[in-house]
């Protein structure tokens, strides 16, 4: 009888101990998680020290590279698995040798969902996304059971509010708060420097400028432009397109460009081939442009390439300043400045790699039937 009571007591103690262990484990697991609010306004429970991550959509992986967190990436979109050097994306150049060794988790592209089975198979602790609407973000979470954190860079050219909040969000999750603040301070100081150099220039002495061949979901010709083009805004330039009161990408009529007839033209170098073809077909149009006749046409680097390359945008701003106000930027070598920026954001200087495909920071001479790049 005593033996049976002893066994009952022993079993009760065992159950109690097991319950304590389970509760303790649950508490430990819960302790190792935290709840954050992502850029879509969603409350997401994430691990406090994620070691394995995935970044989906235009711009997400770029932010991970900027944040020095690429070593935690365990799967990658097919379009980021670089078989050729992605000259339009400095962050892609910096990870070029590493991406082929990472498993593919889907095709990639704006708004394209990942391959859910492949995504699950790489066992990420967390999935960062950019460029997905709320329904698709929830679908990714539902199909995989993984915590999905939405990031944002804003619409059009990058918006500082969304960008800074996203960088700080990654910093909080990945334990890289210091790096987030370093990036934010770098962007702010660059903007302040550019504005300070040019803010005292009277309106009457600011040359009119047009930005053409702007890349937007592909390459385009001279009528592709952008209102309130960030690199020109930061140097207090007089962008003729701002007259339209529209922000972001715009297509205009050629007649409108002739009407504006700006003193300086900046061309996105990704569209140079299209410009060359158009020039040969429409010589008279180009001859009517004051900037073409006076040899004041210059190339910038494309900064819209799978969303905004913030580093390229800043580099373009310094080049634009050098073109518009040489005296205010006489201490600046645009190429050296660009590499300083690229190295800070991505860890390496990549201008020479970009230049092989894009003839940025050059002047153009329009001769009979051909454009010389100098």
């Amino acid at each position: 009888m005593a033996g049976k009571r002893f066994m009952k007591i022993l079993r009760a103690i065992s159950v109690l101990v097991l319950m304590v262990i389970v509760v303790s484990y649950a508490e430990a697991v819960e302790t190792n998680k935290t709840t954050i609010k992502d850029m879509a306004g969603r409350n997401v429970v994430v691990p406090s020290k994620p070691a394995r991550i995935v970044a989906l959509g235009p711009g997400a992986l770029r932010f991970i590279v900027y944040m020095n967190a690429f070593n935690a990436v365990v799967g990658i979109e097919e379009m980021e698995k670089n078989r050729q050097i992605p000259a339009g994306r400095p962050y892609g150049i910096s990870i070029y040798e590493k991406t082929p060794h990472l498993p593919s988790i889907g095709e990639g592209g704006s708004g394209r969902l990942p391959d859910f089975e492949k995504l699950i198979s790489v066992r990420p602790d967390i999935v960062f996304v950019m460029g997905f609407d709320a329904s698709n973000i929830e679908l990714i979470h539902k199909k995989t059971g993984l915590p999905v954190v939405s990031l944002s860079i804003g619409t059009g050219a990058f918006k500082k509010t969304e960008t800074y909040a996203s960088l700080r969000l990654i910093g909080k999750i990945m334990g890289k708060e210091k790096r987030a603040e370093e990036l934010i301070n770098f962007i702010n100081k660059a903007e302040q420097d550019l504005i300070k150099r040019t803010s005292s220039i009277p309106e009457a002495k600011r040359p009119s400028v047009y930005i053409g061949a702007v890349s937007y979901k592909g390459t385009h010709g001279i009528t592709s432009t952008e209102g309130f083009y960030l690199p020109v805004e930061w140097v207090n330039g007089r962008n003729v397109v701002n007259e339209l009161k529209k922000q972001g990408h715009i297509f205009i009529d050629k007649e409108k460009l002739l009407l504006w007839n700006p003193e300086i033209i900046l061309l996105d170098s990704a569209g140079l081939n299209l410009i060359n073809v158009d020039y040969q077909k429409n010589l008279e149009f180009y001859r009517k442009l004051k900037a073409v006749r006076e040899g004041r046409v210059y190339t910038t680097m494309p900064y819209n390439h799978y969303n905004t390359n913030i580093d390229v945008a800043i580099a373009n701003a310094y080049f634009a300043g050098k073109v518009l106000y040489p005296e205010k930027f006489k201490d600046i070598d645009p190429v050296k400045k660009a590499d300083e920026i690229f190295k800070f954001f991505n860890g390496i200087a990549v201008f020479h790699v970009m230049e092989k495909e894009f003839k940025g920071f050059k002047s153009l001479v329009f001769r009979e039937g051909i454009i010389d790049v100098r």
Side-chain angles (χ1 to χ4, degrees), residues 125-249:
D125 298 320
I126 190 169
V127 179
F128 291 102
V129 301
M130 190 179 290
F132 289 91
D133 60 30
S135 62
N136 278 336
I137 294 172
E138 284 302 322
L139 182 60
I140 296 170
H141 171 62
K142 182 179 179 181
K143 290 288 187 179
T144 64
L146 298 166
V148 182
V149 175
S150 177
L151 306 173
S152 176
I153 196 172
T155 55
F158 82 95
K159 301 297 187 291
K160 290 193 297 181
T161 301
E162 290 93 330
T163 296
Y164 292 176
S166 292
L167 293 173
R168 285 178 171 134
L169 183 58
I170 298 170
K172 180 179 180 180
I173 293 170
M174 300 298 296
K176 289 183 174 288
E177 293 92 343
K178 181 180 178 183
R179 175 60 178 171
E181 297 308 316
E182 288 173 349
L183 287 162
I184 291 166
N185 289 337
F186 187 97
I187 296 169
N188 284 337
K189 286 181 180 179
E191 180 185 15
Q192 291 164 10
D193 178 43
L194 290 160
I195 291 174
K196 183 179 179 180
R197 288 171 182 266
T198 57
S199 58
S200 63
I201 300 172
E203 182 77 18
K205 292 187 177 181
R206 298 176 186 177
S208 58
V209 58
Y210 172 79
I211 302 88
V214 172
S215 299
Y216 180 76
K217 297 181 179 178
T219 56
H220 302 286
I222 198 165
T223 59
S224 177
T225 187
E226 189 170 308
F228 301 93
Y229 179 76
L230 186 144
V232 170
E233 293 298 301
W234 278 12
V235 294
N236 292 289
R238 192 154 59 90
N239 181 357
V240 294
V241 179
N242 290 359
E243 173 191 301
L244 302 178
K245 308 296 183 184
K246 295 180 180 179
Q247 287 197 336
H249 182 261

Side-chain angles (χ1 to χ4, degrees), residues 210-225 249-252 266-276 278 286 302 304:
Y210 172 79
I211 302 88
V214 172
S215 299
Y216 180 76
K217 297 181 179 178
T219 56
H220 302 286
I222 198 165
T223 59
S224 177
T225 187
H249 182 261
I250 309 168
F251 283 112
I252 63 161
L266 301 176
L267 295 175
D268 184 325
S269 54
L272 275 186
N273 288 338
L274 295 175
I275 295 287
N276 210 347
D278 188 50
Y286 286 89
N304 291 317

Side-chain angles (χ1 to χ4, degrees), residues 30 33-36 43-47 125-126 141 146-149:
E30 192 64 31
K33 291 186 177 182
T34 185
T35 300
I36 57 91
N43 290 320
V44 185
V45 178
V46 298
D125 298 320
I126 190 169
H141 171 62
L146 298 166
V148 182
V149 175

Side-chain angles (χ1 to χ4, degrees), residues 295-350:
R296 303 188 75 185
V297 182
Y298 306 88
T299 60
T300 62
M301 287 291 187
Y303 76 76
N304 291 317
H305 202 293
Y306 208 33
N307 215 326
T308 301
N309 290 281
I310 299 172
D311 43 5
V312 180
I314 298 172
N316 278 352
Y318 275 97
F319 177 70
K322 185 82 170 183
V323 167
L324 296 177
Y325 318 110
E327 283 301 309
K328 296 291 184 179
F329 288 82
K330 58 185 177 182
D331 61 319
I332 296 294
D333 178 327
V335 173
K336 290 182 179 178
K337 189 65 177 179
D339 268 340
E340 174 190 318
I341 295 165
F342 296 150
K343 189 171 183 179
F344 178 80
F345 276 87
N346 309 289
I348 62 172
V350 299

Side-chain angles (χ1 to χ4, degrees), residues 62-128:
R62 178 183 293 110
F63 274 24
I64 295 302
V65 173
Y66 286 174
M67 288 290 293
N68 293 339
F70 181 74
N71 287 342
V73 173
V74 293
I76 198 168
E77 293 175 324
E78 191 64 32
M79 71 170 296
E80 299 275 27
K81 285 174 68 69
N82 303 313
R83 294 175 179 82
Q84 294 181 334
I85 295 178
R89 308 194 302 270
Y91 77 94
I93 300 172
S94 73
I95 59 176
Y96 171 69
E97 294 182 354
K98 300 175 182 178
T99 56
H101 307 295
L102 287 169
S104 172
I105 44 80
E107 184 179 353
S110 182
R112 290 181 180 171
L113 291 166
D115 182 310
F116 296 120
E117 290 185 6
K118 289 181 178 179
L119 179 55
I120 293 169
S121 72
V122 299
R123 298 179 293 109
D125 298 320
I126 190 169
V127 179
F128 291 102

